Amino acid sequence: MDLIRMKNVKKTYKNGTTALYDLTLNIQKGEFVFVIGRTGCGKSTLVKTLYREEKPDSGSINVGGIEVTKLRNGKIYKLRRKIGVVFQDFKLLPKLTVYENVAFALEIFGMPKEEIHEKVVKVLDLVGLKGKARNYPTELSGGEQQRVAIARAIVNGPKLLICDEPTGNLDEGMSMEIMKVLEEINKMGTTIIMVTHDVDIVDKLKKRVILLDTGRILKDYPEGTYTREVA
Amino acid sequence: MKSLRIIGRNIRDSFKGVFRNFSLSLASISCITITLIVVAIAMTLSYNVDNFAQNVEQDVTIVAFLNVDITKEQTDDVLEKIQNIDGIESYVYKSKMDVGKEWMESSEVFKNIMSGWNEETSPLQPTFQIKVKNIDDIGDIAKKIEKIDLVDSVKYGEGMVEQLVSVFDLVRKICIGIVIALIVVTAFLITNTIKITIFSRRKEIDIMRLVGASNINIKIPFVFEGLILGFLGSIIPIIITIFGYSSLYKNFDGKVFSSFIELIKPTPFIYITSLTLVLIGMVVGMFGSWAAVRKHLKI
Ligand SMILES: Nc1ncnc2c1ncn2[C@@H]1O[C@H](COP(=O)(O)OP(=O)(O)O)[C@@H](O)[C@H]1O
Ligand SMILES: [Mg+2]
């Protein structure tokens, strides 16, 4: 079953830069996909069109049964509730504790406090931050902060987790911790798309690799490595 | 339950918002405060002028002087014609003797002169004293009455009345104009405050959107924040209205210019005004932030 179906997607920014040319791509439920390529080749734009941060000029995108390209602005939140997103810069709120940062994503649904508590505790356990619930983001290492961001992204049980260079700011040890968490989440059934520059990670995990080049898919291997695709 | 929890959370967020950006909030609150003080002054002025105008208008009477030797039947005839004119509120007939009695009561001299007069010999004219429903029609009605046979002449506060009415009208219009202008300026300032608040909370808003907050969900805390700003801004103006007007009233003993102008009684006026102020504050606050949210959240 395909979770994502992109067909002939084209995106040109207002300033005239075309970031995606006629891109067609299917991703199945439960897959773990790396998106790699040079800086500026359109990786971020690709994932942004999936959670409708950017709207393609033409083509169609279907994510988990939602026609993303036809979605009205007022309904985007329905798509976002099915997708978790993690960035290089974590995007945590510094004035909230770890617990509050994660609970934030559930409070907006009006979920009862007890239910929120149960879910947040569970997800913090999953990412290995059980003991840090009361800490503030600034008191954590980069790797720990990223794990908070992941916890927030998945606490609502999304079908798809998008990670745009999640290890870009982290050293090797921390990066591997993050990858362990992501593999764990993937094993539980969540589809993961991860944009990365990290050669070691891609080579080690041997997942599906999509290589982009100036807005086009250059290569797409089911068990690719960074070294081989780019070479 | 679910929506109640969401609303609860929104209200909490709004209060947080007001205090987190306190210096900005204070700017907005001060602005609302100043506006509402002016609104309160304008309201007080305009209500009092209105009240005064009404009092004057109620006192304005057309006096129709009838022929000296008019008979009883002819008087009834004139009365019927007066009754047929549209816009007449009430009338009082005063016979020669009634008029004479009034003169006699006003001074000893008249009393001595007039005491010998009777229905036949009195040179005074019998009168109809007529009140009109709408002061604006007084000129027209007076003209119509003057045309009736056996009505000798007609008097009312010509000129003076009309001038007074138009002056009141002008004062009222100026007050309304100032109030509207100030409200627009305040709404604009609140829009700007909320705009800055939105920018300072850009990150938070982006994250809310990212995790699937609906547009309403994002907007409501800001709109509610505007409402809170409006409410806080109305506190000082309300205090000034309640205590200020009461002491003003007491100080002047309810009258200005030797009982010519009567002030409106403080109750219920001050409470109505206070309620109006808080409502204006909250509506303007809400509207200002709504405009900012619409423009700067692009949602
Ligand atoms: N908001 C934007 N406005 C204009 N051009 C943009 C915008 N975002 C990205 N681009 C351009 O689109 C191209 C692809 O960008 P991006 O998808 O961010 O690449 P990557 O994530 O692979 O580095 C680049 O040339 C970039 O300069
Ligand atoms: Mg990028």
Side-chain angles (χ1 to χ4, degrees):
Chain A
M1 260 278 279
D2 288 336
L3 180 71
I4 296 168
R5 257 182 245 138
M6 300 178 81
K7 210 168 170 241
N8 306 116
V9 172
K10 191 181 172 202
K11 171 72 192 175
T12 302
Y13 284 105
K14 278 201 191 81
N15 64 3
T17 314
T18 301
L20 301 174
Y21 289 93
D22 196 34
L23 197 130
T24 300
L25 173 67
N26 288 356
I27 293 174
Q28 286 188 340
K29 254 190 195 137
E31 269 195 278
F32 196 127
V33 182
F34 286 118
V35 178
I36 60 172
R38 254 181 304 213
T39 300
C41 70
K43 306 180 296 294
S44 293
T45 305
L46 167 65
V47 293
K48 278 178 185 168
T49 60
L50 293 177
Y51 60 93
R52 238 322 260 292
E53 182 66 22
E54 295 294 347
K55 194 175 179 176
D57 307 308
S58 59
S60 68
I61 300 175
N62 188 306
V63 175
I66 297 177
E67 280 296 335
V68 178
T69 35
K70 286 182 189 147
L71 209 57
R72 288 213 325 271
N73 278 352
K75 299 284 176 208
I76 292 177
Y77 73 96
K78 292 193 170 171
L79 173 72
R80 301 276 170 91
R81 289 178 185 189
K82 297 192 170 184
I83 301 177
V85 191
V86 175
F87 301 93
Q88 186 171 358
D89 60 353
F90 322 133
K91 297 202 194 297
L92 300 175
L93 293 170
K95 285 180 181 164
L96 302 184
T97 63
V98 166
Y99 181 94
E100 288 164 346
N101 262 287
V102 179
F104 186 79
L106 296 176
E107 279 173 355
I108 57 166
F109 301 126
M111 195 180 273
K113 261 201 163 62
E114 310 77 54
E115 209 178 323
I116 291 178
H117 182 76
E118 197 181 303
K119 289 199 175 195
V120 174
V121 168
K122 209 166 137 194
V123 80
L124 285 180
D125 193 21
L126 175 71
V127 299
L129 287 176
K130 215 175 176 180
K132 304 275 185 182
R134 285 173 201 280
N135 288 82
Y136 286 88
T138 47
E139 300 165 354
L140 304 179
S141 72
E144 285 169 330
Q145 289 187 47
Q146 190 59 294
R147 281 186 274 155
V148 177
I150 293 171
R152 184 183 63 199
I154 62 166
V155 69
N156 188 36
K159 294 179 183 171
L160 174 65
L161 179 61
I162 293 172
C163 309
D164 194 347
E165 306 197 31
T167 60
N169 277 344
L170 306 177
D171 65 31
E172 211 189 308
M174 288 177 181
S175 300
M176 284 307 159
E177 280 174 29
I178 295 294
M179 292 321 294
K180 256 188 238 154
V181 171
L182 290 180
E183 279 199 279
E184 191 74 24
I185 293 164
N186 181 236
K187 266 186 205 138
M188 287 158 55
T190 309
T191 308
I192 297 182
I193 299 177
M194 175 167 157
V195 173
T196 187
H197 278 300
D198 197 318
V199 181
D200 291 342
I201 288 175
V202 178
D203 284 358
K204 203 170 161 208
L205 267 72
K206 298 208 172 52
K207 304 285 188 188
R208 179 176 172 188
V209 175
I210 294 168
L211 174 64
L212 284 190
D213 185 33
T214 52
R216 294 184 179 85
I217 295 180
L218 202 64
K219 293 177 182 176
D220 183 352
Y221 285 112
E223 275 184 35
T225 60
Y226 205 110
T227 338
R228 196 181 71 211
E229 309 316 336
V230 178
Chain B
M1 261 323 275
K2 192 173 149 189
S3 48
L4 263 177
R5 268 193 301 270
I6 293 179
I7 290 169
R9 181 179 171 275
N10 284 334
I11 293 174
R12 208 185 62 205
D13 275 8
S14 309
F15 274 104
K16 272 192 204 157
V18 170
F19 292 106
R20 207 180 298 161
N21 309 290
F22 194 68
S23 55
L24 260 174
S25 302
L26 203 63
S28 287
I29 292 171
S30 316
C31 186
I32 297 173
T33 299
I34 292 165
T35 305
L36 291 182
I37 289 172
V38 177
V39 169
I41 292 170
M43 269 181 82
T44 307
L45 208 66
S46 129
Y47 269 81
N48 271 298
V49 163
D50 214 50
N51 180 54
F52 175 52
Q54 270 174 24
N55 286 347
V56 168
E57 285 171 10
Q58 272 165 19
D59 282 349
V60 174
T61 314
I62 301 175
V63 185
F65 295 90
L66 307 180
N67 263 2
V68 183
D69 37 60
I70 194 166
T71 63
K72 180 86 179 62
E73 290 77 37
Q74 285 169 330
T75 306
D76 288 342
D77 207 40
V78 172
L79 175 60
E80 205 187 311
K81 281 176 183 151
I82 288 174
Q83 280 172 329
N84 281 337
I85 296 172
D86 282 338
I88 286 182
E89 170 86 20
S90 65
Y91 60 88
V92 175
Y93 174 71
K94 288 195 170 136
S95 68
K96 276 183 180 183
M97 295 315 284
D98 294 333
V99 177
K101 218 184 272 163
E102 272 174 19
W103 282 94
M104 275 154 53
E105 271 163 18
S106 69
S107 116
E108 278 298 310
V109 183
F110 289 139
K111 198 172 173 181
N112 289 336
I113 297 171
M114 296 178 178
S115 54
W117 294 354
N118 63 30
E119 196 68 41
E120 293 292 308
T121 57
S122 170
L124 295 170
Q125 292 172 299
T127 63
F128 277 110
Q129 310 210 337
I130 299 143
K131 290 202 167 158
V132 296
K133 282 184 186 139
N134 186 349
I135 193 78
D136 296 335
D137 302 336
I138 198 162
D140 287 345
I141 292 174
K143 262 186 214 131
K144 281 183 195 159
I145 294 172
E146 201 167 17
K147 278 187 195 130
I148 298 170
D149 280 344
L150 299 170
V151 171
D152 191 53
S153 63
V154 160
K155 274 218 170 68
Y156 67 100
E158 291 124 312
M160 193 275 247
V161 173
E162 275 119 338
Q163 252 173 31
L164 218 54
V165 168
S166 71
V167 166
F168 291 161
D169 233 38
L170 191 67
V171 169
R172 219 175 304 163
K173 275 177 188 151
I174 289 172
C175 282
I176 291 170
I178 290 173
V179 166
I180 289 175
L182 271 169
I183 286 175
V184 169
V185 169
T186 311
F188 180 74
L189 279 163
I190 291 174
T191 304
N192 270 298
T193 307
I194 300 286
K195 183 178 94 185
I196 296 168
T197 316
I198 288 172
F199 280 129
S200 72
R201 285 165 67 182
R202 195 89 241 185
K203 193 175 172 189
E204 192 180 333
I205 293 167
D206 284 346
I207 294 170
M208 283 178 85
R209 270 191 183 150
L210 198 67
V211 297
S214 65
N215 291 347
I216 295 275
N217 228 310
I218 297 170
K219 280 176 190 167
I220 285 179
F222 288 108
V223 174
F224 206 83
E225 200 173 316
L227 187 137
I228 294 171
L229 292 178
F231 176 79
L232 294 177
S234 69
I235 291 175
I236 293 175
I238 286 176
I239 291 172
I240 292 179
T241 304
I242 291 179
F243 294 100
Y245 190 74
S246 303
S247 66
L248 185 91
Y249 188 86
K250 227 185 253 161
N251 214 352
F252 281 106
D253 212 8
K255 286 165 188 121
V256 186
F257 302 136
S258 63
S259 86
F260 182 54
I261 299 176
E262 249 181 74
L263 294 174
I264 302 178
K265 287 202 178 62
T267 2
F269 171 72
I270 50 173
Y271 300 110
I272 294 170
T273 306
S274 301
L275 193 70
T276 313
L277 292 181
V278 74
L279 285 178
I280 292 177
M282 293 199 304
V283 168
V284 171
M286 270 170 68
F287 184 81
S289 28
W290 181 258
V293 166
R294 268 185 64 110
K295 212 166 162 190
H296 297 283
L297 283 185
K298 270 198 321 197
I299 48 179

